[in-house]
């Protein structure tokens, strides 16, 4: 009895499997795992075994979601966050196949604490922090095809319309996916799809779309192109890559916002679809409320969105700063002048008038960048309170710091007034702020311009780093190395100055220089007349080598305030940070640990820093910030980093 029942079940199972196999064969399957991007984080997890267990568990959850005919899923366990998304035009078996390929591929990153694999058909990403609400950021890119469209002029025209429609409609469509096509004269068609991840808001999707829309403009008149960003994807091609019946009717979403919803609703109801929707909605509501009881899966349902920055009124800011008067001017940073302002509610703020050339594209970018920056909160990072844009003018509103900036205390009118403990606290706080930007905020932010004038001091002389994230507002032109260069000579890591190679270690280098300046009160770009080795970095190294490092300490400091071992430790950290090889510099979180460690370090700077010293460099270095926005708006490019180092001796 038992036996025959078992056999029955077996036969049934076989039959089902065969049917499935047959169906797979019959359908025109194409998981579209043409690889676009495969990238691993440069950091490894600390505990590989736990990580691997978590990753495997989350991948299982993702797969389960996809098998339930979902095209988007997130899953997390411990500190492992994962996300998968298939293009909605794939069949659900192709979606699974694409995910499987991606999950195999992504393991090539072995112990990396973050990775993403992007195919035409799907993408898979994991991180050790929650990235679900990330819509845009550095690392967006485009991939253009090799062939020119057969009829460039009319292709361009049709493509322009198609991409614009997709950009406008996609954020307005439930599920953030649209597939559309447009006729090109000469019996051709151009096909396009756009998609956002489902855990970002509508405005997040709009921001992301604005970036990919602009990126993909570099592809035509090539017959196909793709633009990739953290929270969205845009693709077009002259050859069809989705079935005709997968086309989205985007017309209702192209109308002006107000009317479109109403129209769609009325249209739907008249067509009797409304009733169906109602039934479906009740069904899904029922299902989701049941599922909620069974397993909490908060991430999609309770996606915490980035808070938008406060939008200030231009008239209020104008009033607060007394018409941006000279008396209210606090200083002129690399990105524009800063004014002190007293708002109507009595709150004192600092208003930065950005001097960044504004184009239409910059505007969309500006808003999304400001949103990101205003969500960075750390006690050692200056808070961005809000922004304001009026015409071409862009204003940023920050908290006001009564003690102004560190340079005043090191080189300026208040020179010599910081004691050793205050200096040490500034080093530690700055390191913590940078570690947060590099490793803890959900987006990696590289400051690129760490120097004393960007370290502000609060009433208690605790440091707050300012201007972070602003480098992201600079135009990014991949063909011009020099335009990527946003830093200040004397503080800029050689690999960035010379090759434009940007990583967190660029900030670590500048931080090392900053620490030496804090100890010595000598500007890195100025010479010390009492010493043979005039420049700070070289002087520090040779004093250290000869065990005379205490001589580096600012003479105004009382010798009884500090401990010789502490001085040695701090100098060693600074020299570790300024090593020529970016890879051997410590990360900023390591710096925090080293600074807090007792006694001497067991890690010695192995290699000398690179010394850049030529008259030319010195002159340019002291002549202010390179890459400051002012030099962009005035039309003259900053001097090429190549020319800056051409004459310098790169002593080893
Ligand atoms: C990360 O781990 C991989 C192998 O597990 C190793 O090859 C690589 O060097 C490690 N990277 C770092 C930065 O430690
Ligand atoms: C996770 O899955 C991979 C591939 O399937 C396997 O090689 C690895 O051993 C698994 N790790 C753990 C901890 O189970
Ligand atoms: C473009 O052409 C080159 C060489 O012909 C080939 O290696 C490359 O894969 C092509 N790229 C694309 C996107 O088709
Ligand atoms: C098509 O547009 C691209 C830029 O979008 C442009 O470089 C190209 O010259 C245009 N081609 C024609 C034939 O208009
Ligand atoms: C368009 O092309 C198809 C097949 O390529 C052909 O059957 C059709 O007649 C063409 N139409 C025109 C208007 O050229
Ligand atoms: C779309 O068309 C394909 C054949 O091209 C067919 O197999 C599939 O069932 C259709 N899908 C829908 C939703 O009608």
């Amino acid at each position: 009895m038992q036996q025959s029942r078992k056999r029955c079940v077996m036969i049934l199972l076989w039959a089902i499997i065969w049917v499935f196999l047959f169906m797979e064969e019959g359908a025109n399957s194409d998981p579209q795992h043409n690889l676009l991007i495969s990238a691993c984080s440069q950091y490894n997890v600390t505990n590989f075994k736990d990580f691997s267990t978590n990753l495997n568990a989350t991948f299982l959850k993702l797969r389960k979601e996809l098998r339930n005919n979902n095209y988007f899923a997130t899953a997390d366990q411990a500190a492992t966050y994962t996300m998968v998304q298939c293009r909605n035009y794939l069949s659900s078996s192709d979606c699974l196949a694409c995910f499987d390929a991606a999950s195999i591929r992504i393991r090539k990153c072995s112990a990396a604490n973050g990775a993403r694999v992007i195919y035409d058909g799907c993408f898979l990403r994991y991180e050790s922090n929650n990235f679900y609400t990330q819509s845009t950021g550095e690392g967006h890119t485009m991939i253009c095809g090799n062939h020119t469209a057969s009829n460039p002029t009319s292709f361009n025209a049709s493509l322009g319309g198609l991409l614009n429609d997709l950009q406008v409609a996609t954020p307005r469509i439930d599920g953030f996916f649209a597939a559309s096509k447009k006729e090109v004269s000469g019996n051709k068609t151009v096909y396009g799809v756009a998609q956002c991840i489902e855990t970002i808001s509508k405005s997040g999707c709009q921001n992301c779309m604005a970036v990919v829309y602009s990126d993909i403009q570099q592809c035509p008149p090539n017959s196909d192109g793709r633009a990739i960003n953290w929270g969205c994807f845009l693709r077009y091609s002259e050859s069809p890559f989705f079935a005709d019946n997968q086309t989205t009717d985007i017309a209702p979403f192209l109308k002006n916002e107000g009317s479109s919803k109403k129209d769609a609703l009325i249209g739907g109801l008249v067509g009797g679809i409304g009733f169906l929707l109602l039934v479906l909605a009740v069904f899904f509501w029922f299902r989701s409320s049941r599922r909620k009881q069974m397993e909490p899966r908060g991430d999609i349902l309770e996606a915490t969105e980035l808070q938008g920055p406060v939008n200030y009124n231009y008239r209020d800011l104008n009033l607060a700063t007394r018409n941006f008067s000279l008396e209210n001017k606090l200083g002129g940073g690399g990105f524009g002048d800063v004014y002190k302002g007293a708002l109507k509610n009595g709150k004192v703020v600092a208003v930065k008038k950005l001097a960044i050339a504004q184009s239409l594209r910059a505007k969309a970018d500006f808003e999304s960048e400001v949103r990101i920056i205003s969500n960075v909160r750390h006690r050692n990072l200056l808070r961005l309170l809000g922004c304001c844009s009026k015409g071409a003018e862009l204003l940023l509103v920050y908290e006001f710091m009564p003690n102004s900036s560190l340079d005043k205390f090191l080189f300026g009118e208040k020179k010599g007034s910081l004691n050793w403990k205050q200096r040490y606290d500034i080093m530690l706080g700055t390191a913590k702020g940078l570690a947060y930007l590099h490793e803890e905020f959900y987006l990696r932010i590289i400051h690129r311009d760490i120097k004393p004038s960007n370290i502000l001091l609060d009433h208690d002389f605790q440091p707050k780093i300012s201007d972070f994230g602003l480098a992201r507002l600079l135009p990014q032109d991949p063909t011009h190395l020099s335009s990527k260069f946003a830093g200040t000579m004397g503080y800029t890591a050689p690999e960035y100055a010379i090759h434009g190679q940007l990583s967190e270690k660029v900030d670590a280098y500048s931080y090392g220089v900053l620490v030496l300046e804090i100890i010595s009160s000598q500007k890195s770009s100025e010479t010390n007349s009492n010493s043979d080795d005039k420049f700070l970095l070289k002087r520090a190294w040779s004093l250290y080598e000869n065990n005379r490092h205490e001589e580096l300490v600012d003479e105004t400091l009382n010798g009884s305030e500090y401990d010789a071992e502490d001085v040695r430790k701090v100098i060693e950290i600074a020299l570790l940070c300024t090593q020529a090889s970016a890879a051997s510099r410590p990360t900023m979180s390591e710096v925090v640990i080293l600074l807090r460690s007792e006694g001497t370090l067991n890690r010695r700077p192995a290699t000398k820093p690179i010394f850049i010293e030529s008259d030319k460099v010195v002159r340019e270095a002291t002549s202010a910030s390179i890459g400051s926005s002012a030099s962009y708006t005035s039309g003259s490019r900053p001097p090429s980093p190549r020319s800056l180092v051409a004459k310098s001796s790169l002593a080893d």
Side-chain angles (χ1 to χ4, degrees), residues 152-153 156 217 220-221:
T153 315
N156 263 12
Q217 302 301 333

Side-chain angles (χ1 to χ4, degrees), residues 516 531-552 571 575 608-609 611:
L516 293 178
S531 163
D532 294 339
D533 295 314
K534 297 181 205 140
F535 286 102
L536 179 60
L537 209 48
K538 196 164 184 186
R539 191 170 147 237
W541 177 261
S542 70
L543 286 175
Y544 168 74
E545 261 190 330
N546 295 313
N547 221 8
R548 288 164 47 203
H549 48 273
E550 265 188 82
E551 289 173 34
L552 193 69
I571 292 176
L575 291 173
K608 268 192 209 181
F611 306 118

Side-chain angles (χ1 to χ4, degrees), residues 53-295:
T53 309
N54 292 335
L55 198 64
N56 288 2
T58 51
F59 281 3
L60 272 177
K61 286 189 217 163
L62 292 182
R63 200 166 196 284
K64 194 169 150 220
E65 290 289 320
L66 298 187
R67 283 171 62 111
N68 286 336
N69 290 333
N70 287 316
Y71 282 76
F72 176 83
T74 58
D76 55 280
Q77 176 162 320
T80 308
Y81 297 83
T82 55
M83 177 186 287
V84 63
Q85 183 171 43
C86 291
R87 314 300 166 211
N88 295 30
Y89 56 77
L90 288 189
S91 71
S92 109
S93 59
D94 283 344
C95 171
L96 263 187
C98 191
F99 167 75
D100 287 341
S103 62
I104 290 170
R105 172 93 204 181
I106 213 164
R107 289 190 195 276
K108 289 193 177 173
C109 290
S110 64
N113 70 355
R116 58 173 182 163
V117 169
I118 302 173
Y119 293 118
D120 271 336
C122 68
F123 84 84
L124 176 63
R125 179 180 177 195
Y126 75 79
E127 300 287 345
S128 56
N129 51 358
N130 188 331
F131 61 91
Y132 297 160
T133 52
Q134 179 184 9
S135 64
T136 180
E138 232 168 307
H140 56 88
T141 184
M142 80 280 157
I143 298 171
C144 303
N146 279 340
H147 302 289
T148 307
S150 38
N151 185 350
T153 315
S154 67
F155 182 75
N156 263 12
S158 302
L159 179 62
L162 176 69
L163 293 176
N164 191 50
D165 287 356
L166 286 172
Q167 183 208 189
V168 171
T170 307
R172 297 178 179 174
I173 297 174
D174 250 3
F176 295 150
F177 173 82
S180 187
K181 57 183 182 176
K182 265 205 162 59
E183 301 286 320
V184 180
S185 71
N187 204 6
K188 292 255 178 192
T189 307
V190 56
Y191 302 81
V193 299
Q195 186 176 39
C196 289
I197 59 176
E198 292 177 25
T199 39
I200 56 179
S201 61
K202 180 176 171 185
S203 68
C205 182
Q206 276 165 343
N207 291 341
C208 192
M209 276 293 145
V211 175
V212 287
Y213 175 72
S214 144
D215 281 351
I216 212 167
Q217 302 301 333
Q218 303 182 43
C219 289
N222 286 358
S223 63
D224 66 281
R226 301 155 178 94
I228 295 157
N229 198 350
W230 298 101
C232 63
F233 179 74
L234 180 61
R235 176 184 178 189
Y236 76 83
S237 176
E238 205 174 32
S239 20
F241 55 96
F242 53 86
D244 247 3
N245 57 11
Q246 296 294 341
T247 313
T248 319
D249 179 17
I250 57 175
F253 301 97
L254 295 174
K255 297 180 193 156
N256 281 338
E257 275 279 63
S259 64
S260 75
K261 269 186 201 150
K262 220 158 105 194
D263 285 356
L265 198 66
I266 292 169
L269 282 171
V270 168
I273 297 167
F275 180 66
L276 204 72
L277 282 178
L278 205 67
V279 170
L280 279 177
V282 168
F283 172 70
F284 279 113
W285 173 79
F286 191 70
R287 212 176 72 156
S288 77
S289 66
R290 261 187 53 186
R291 200 192 287 183
K292 234 176 173 173
Q293 283 162 9
M294 274 152 33
E295 49 171 317

Side-chain angles (χ1 to χ4, degrees), residues 600-633:
T600 49
L601 300 181
N602 47 17
R603 187 169 164 187
R604 286 280 139 84
T607 53
K608 268 192 209 181
I610 289 187
F611 306 118
I612 300 185
E613 47 177 25
S614 81
D615 295 345
K616 182 162 190 285
V617 173
V618 179
R619 209 177 52 245
E620 310 231 33
T622 48
S623 78
S625 253
I626 293 173
S628 75
S629 30
S631 55
Y632 284 98
T633 44

Side-chain angles (χ1 to χ4, degrees), residues 414-619:
K414 295 172 190 156
K415 186 171 162 74
S417 62
L418 288 176
N419 63 32
W420 174 258
K421 168 133 196 335
Q422 286 169 327
R423 293 183 197 223
Y424 183 83
D425 285 349
I426 292 169
M427 295 175 208
L428 183 61
T430 306
K432 285 189 199 162
L434 281 174
Y436 183 83
L437 285 179
H438 292 171
E439 296 163 47
E440 285 159 54
F441 189 55
Y442 79 101
L443 269 178
R444 188 171 55 120
I445 296 181
I446 301 171
H447 190 292
R448 309 189 209 187
D449 201 11
I450 288 294
K451 57 181 176 184
S453 58
N454 278 335
I455 310 295
L456 304 187
L457 300 174
D458 72 4
H459 60 92
D460 208 18
F461 294 96
Q462 291 301 316
K464 300 226 182 212
I465 303 173
S466 74
D467 273 6
F468 56 86
L470 296 193
R472 298 160 59 99
L473 294 174
L474 289 179
Q476 287 183 349
D477 180 354
T479 57
H480 289 98
L481 185 62
S482 54
S483 72
K484 276 184 161 178
F485 181 63
T488 305
M489 277 312 281
Y491 301 90
T492 306
E495 77 276 9
Y496 185 43
I498 302 169
H499 303 295
Q501 286 167 355
L502 184 62
S503 75
E504 294 93 324
K505 301 299 180 68
V506 165
D507 285 347
Y509 181 94
S510 313
Y511 175 80
V513 176
L514 177 83
V515 165
L516 293 178
E517 292 185 328
I518 294 176
I519 299 170
S520 66
S521 298
Q522 181 193 339
K523 249 190 187 158
S524 72
S525 55
E526 282 172 6
T527 54
N528 180 315
S529 42
N530 309 331
S531 163
D532 294 339
D533 295 314
K534 297 181 205 140
F535 286 102
L536 179 60
L537 209 48
K538 196 164 184 186
R539 191 170 147 237
W541 177 261
S542 70
L543 286 175
Y544 168 74
E545 261 190 330
N546 295 313
N547 221 8
R548 288 164 47 203
H549 48 273
E550 265 188 82
E551 289 173 34
L552 193 69
V553 179
D554 184 354
E555 296 151 352
T556 66
L557 277 179
N558 185 340
S560 63
E561 278 183 48
Y562 55 87
D563 182 68
E565 273 314 303
D566 277 349
V567 170
R568 183 184 184 90
K569 183 176 77 183
V570 170
I571 292 176
E572 277 177 347
I573 291 171
L575 291 173
L576 275 171
C577 288
T578 47
Q579 290 176 99
S581 142
S584 34
R585 293 173 209 149
T587 63
M588 291 311 300
S589 56
E590 285 170 340
V591 169
V592 172
I593 294 170
L594 291 175
L595 276 173
R596 284 174 160 164
S597 65
E598 295 284 330
T600 49
L601 300 181
N602 47 17
R603 187 169 164 187
R604 286 280 139 84
T607 53
K608 268 192 209 181
I610 289 187
F611 306 118
I612 300 185
E613 47 177 25
S614 81
D615 295 345
K616 182 162 190 285
V617 173
V618 179
R619 209 177 52 245

